[in-house]
Amino acid sequence: MKDFKELIVWQKAVDFVTKIYQETIPFPKEELYGLVSQIRRAAVSVPANISEGYTRRYTNEYIQFLYIALASCGEIETLLIISSNLKFVFSKELNLLVKDLLEIKKMLNALISSLKKKVNGG
């Protein structure tokens, strides 16, 4: 694989960012610099860290960036639950976003495991 844009997990993460932006448009205006900004930044962080890690020289650095992307997924899920509790996002949309997020997390974990085996010679 020659380019991070070929990674399915990166593609799904970029699509997820688009969904997050669309879902946060109707949030109250007073949340523009609160929850909206935080959710969007965390969502953008996922594909950004995947691509940044991919372009690093060493596999261990790549793994570290994938862990950062994975941590951002946890942050996003928490922020979405808070948004749902505040009735800014409805349960149907929340469930779809969390389902997408779970798929991205599984793919990140699989990629991390694969890279760790490579590093450890297994």
Side-chain angles (χ1 to χ4, degrees):
M1 196 171 301
K2 297 179 183 176
D3 191 58
F4 63 85
K5 292 183 289 278
E6 295 177 37
L7 292 168
I8 302 297
V9 68
W10 180 86
Q11 295 168 10
K12 287 189 179 295
V14 168
D15 290 342
F16 184 77
V17 171
T18 304
K19 291 176 184 178
I20 287 293
Y21 267 75
Q22 291 167 341
E23 286 297 326
T24 55
I25 289 171
F27 277 44
K29 295 297 176 223
E30 62 267 15
E31 286 301 329
L32 185 59
Y33 300 105
L35 277 173
V36 172
S37 175
Q38 188 75 16
I39 294 169
R40 288 177 175 182
R41 282 185 287 119
V44 168
S45 171
V46 177
N49 276 295
I50 294 168
S51 60
E52 186 172 353
Y54 185 90
T55 59
R56 292 293 174 141
R57 187 172 184 171
Y58 300 105
T59 304
N60 281 332
E61 289 180 295
Y62 184 17
I63 292 168
Q64 185 59 37
F65 277 88
L66 294 175
Y67 275 123
I68 294 167
L70 194 57
S72 291
C73 289
E75 179 182 2
I76 295 163
E77 189 170 0
T78 298
L79 293 167
L80 287 172
I81 291 167
I82 292 167
S83 298
S84 176
N85 289 348
L86 294 170
K87 308 289 188 242
F88 297 158
V89 64
F90 298 105
S91 61
K92 178 183 175 190
E93 288 79 13
L94 174 70
N95 291 338
L96 292 172
L97 290 169
V98 170
K99 181 181 173 196
D100 289 344
L101 198 55
L102 181 60
E103 183 178 9
I104 291 167
K105 287 167 62 175
K106 285 180 181 177
M107 294 175 84
L108 285 170
N109 277 318
L111 182 54
I112 290 167
S113 293
S114 172
L115 291 170
K116 279 184 164 183
K117 285 180 187 172
K118 178 182 169 188
V119 168
N120 296 328

